[in-house]
């Protein structure tokens, strides 16, 4: 996908820099934004940073953000914000929570609900998907857009469990529903890759990947799907893409050097046809 991401508001210390409580909205929106961009790019998406750092007023910030987002025809536009209430809450054992705003009739209703669900799974109250026709960003953005209110800057219960990397991963996971791992199948874009992937083997056999992701099953599988197959990496002991390619000239005629197609073919057809693969 092509995705625009920006942090709301000007940088801290400038006009229109957002809410301040136990944390500063502007600082943390940028932290989440930066981590989210890394997460999405690591999954193979094209991501543009549309953050504004030089607005001269609140309206100017909004106009500059929307101008940037509208220069790119994107699948999704994402605005990162933090919420605030009238008074600080030093902690009562309950979070005030997370919510996502979209324009009525937006095509992002499912993704917005997924974002709410994933962030709330970290421990936040799920305030759900909300709709607005008056928010400048949602009203003027040409691409399907969502505005994420991560949590409340002045609720200590919210801040105690806040971590920008965890939030970014939760959002990225919500936008990547094709990457699903369960007990028996490894599904990516509708194909079960379990015949060619074992996360323990992949981490042991590829030390650079292990250094980055350890034994994180989901992260390893996502790396395999977005990078590993294109690079011809071995995902398990029972399949070697180069052996499969060299022993099946009909596939070479069809796929050439597009290595990922050999993995796909084996999972869909080659295994059942008992083709040589190791």
């Amino acid at each position: 996908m092509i995705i625009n991401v920006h942090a709301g508001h000007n940088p801290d210390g400038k006009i229109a820099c957002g809410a301040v409580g136990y944390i500063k909205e502007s600082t943390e929106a940028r932290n989440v934004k930066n981590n989210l961009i890394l997460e999405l790019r690591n999954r193979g998406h094209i991501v543009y940073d549309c953050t504004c750092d030089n607005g001269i007023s609140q309206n100017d910030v909004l106009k500059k953000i929307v101008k940037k987002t509208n220069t790119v025809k994107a699948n999704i536009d994402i605005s990162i914000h933090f919420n605030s209430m009238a008074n600080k809450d030093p902690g009562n054992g309950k979070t005030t929570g997370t919510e996502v705003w979209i324009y009525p009739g937006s095509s992002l209703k499912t993704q917005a609900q997924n974002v709410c669900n994933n962030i709330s799974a970290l421990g936040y109250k799920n305030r759900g998907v909300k709709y607005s026709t008056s928010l400048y960003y949602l009203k003027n953005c040409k691409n399907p857009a969502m505005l994420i209110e991560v949590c409340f800057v002045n609720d200590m219960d919210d801040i105690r469990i806040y971590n920008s990397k965890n939030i970014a991963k939760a959002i990225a996971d919500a936008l990547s529903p094709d990457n699903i791992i369960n007990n028996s199948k490894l599904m990516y874009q509708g194909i079960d890759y379990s015949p060619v992937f074992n996360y323990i083997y992949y981490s042991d056999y590829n030390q650079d990947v292990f250094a980055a992701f350890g034994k994180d099953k989901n992260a390893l599988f996502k790396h395999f799907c977005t990078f590993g197959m294109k690079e011809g990496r071995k995902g398990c002991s029972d399949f070697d893409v180069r052996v499969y390619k060299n022993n099946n000239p009909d596939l070479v005629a069809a796929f050439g050097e597009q290595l990922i197609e050999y993995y796909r073919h084996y999972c869909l057809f080659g295994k059942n046809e008992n083709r040589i693969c190791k």
Side-chain angles (χ1 to χ4, degrees):
M1 292 188 292
I2 299 174
I3 303 173
N4 289 329
V5 181
H6 72 264
H9 303 286
N10 255 341
D12 287 320
K14 294 187 176 183
I15 191 170
C17 60
V20 176
Y22 296 109
I23 58 174
K24 296 179 179 180
E25 178 179 14
S26 179
T27 296
E28 295 309 322
R30 282 161 171 74
N31 287 337
V32 172
K33 177 262 298 182
N34 291 337
N35 285 311
L36 178 57
I37 289 173
L38 288 175
E39 281 279 350
L40 292 171
R41 286 176 177 168
N42 285 340
R43 300 170 192 225
H45 301 297
I46 299 169
V47 189
Y48 295 94
D49 187 343
C50 298
T51 303
C52 173
D53 290 329
N54 61 350
I56 59 175
S57 68
Q58 183 173 336
N59 285 338
D60 187 52
V61 171
L62 290 169
K63 288 179 180 179
K64 286 179 176 176
I65 287 171
V66 168
K67 184 178 180 179
K68 285 184 180 182
T69 63
N70 286 344
T71 61
V72 178
K73 186 173 177 58
N75 300 100
I76 304 174
D77 277 8
I78 301 171
S79 180
I80 304 295
H81 286 258
F82 284 72
N83 228 327
S84 180
M85 49 192 168
N87 300 304
K88 280 189 175 182
D89 181 348
N92 60 5
K94 298 179 180 179
T95 62
T96 308
T98 188
E99 63 193 32
V100 177
W101 289 82
I102 57 176
Y103 201 83
S106 171
S107 61
L108 298 182
K109 182 178 179 180
T110 298
Q111 289 94 328
Q113 188 62 62
N114 288 342
V115 170
C116 286
N117 294 344
N118 281 15
I119 295 178
S120 66
L122 300 174
Y124 291 100
K125 176 183 177 181
N126 191 339
R127 297 167 64 88
V129 177
K130 301 180 183 296
Y131 302 90
S132 173
T133 58
S134 60
L135 288 172
Y136 184 91
Y137 166 67
L138 297 180
K139 183 178 180 180
N140 292 280
C141 188
K142 293 180 180 179
N143 303 309
M146 66 171 71
L147 188 153
I148 302 171
E149 296 278 9
V150 173
C151 66
F152 281 71
V153 299
N154 51 3
D155 185 335
M156 181 53 72
D157 292 302
D158 282 35
I159 303 313
R160 283 194 182 105
I161 60 174
Y162 166 70
N163 178 286
S164 62
K165 290 184 178 180
N166 291 343
I167 296 294
K169 186 177 185 303
I171 297 170
D173 286 345
L175 302 178
S176 303
D178 288 334
N179 303 334
I180 302 172
I181 292 183
N182 59 35
N183 291 333
S184 60
K185 292 185 178 181
L186 296 163
M187 301 298 297
Y188 179 73
Q189 296 182 342
I191 298 175
D192 177 13
Y193 283 98
S194 56
V196 297
F197 182 81
N198 175 281
Y199 82 95
I200 295 176
Y201 180 92
Y202 193 64
S203 64
D204 289 345
Y205 194 84
N206 298 281
Q207 289 300 304
D208 59 325
V209 179
F210 174 75
F213 305 114
K215 297 293 184 180
D216 186 323
K217 192 183 303 184
N218 287 279
L220 292 166
F221 181 56
K222 288 167 186 172
H223 182 276
F224 176 71
C225 292
T226 53
F227 301 105
M229 288 189 285
K230 294 176 184 177
E231 297 168 356
R233 296 192 186 227
K234 288 188 69 175
C236 70
S237 60
D238 294 328
F239 181 84
D240 187 317
V241 69
R242 290 177 176 82
V243 172
Y244 193 61
K245 175 175 177 285
N246 292 338
N247 282 276
N248 294 281
D250 60 323
L251 301 184
V252 176
F255 305 137
E257 297 302 317
Q258 299 178 67
L259 295 181
I260 191 171
E261 297 299 335
Y262 296 91
Y263 293 92
R264 291 172 176 167
H265 183 275
Y266 181 75
C267 292
L268 291 171
F269 309 108
K271 183 179 180 182
N272 291 334
E273 294 170 359
N274 294 315
R275 294 199 183 215
I276 297 173
C277 64
K278 63 176 181 176

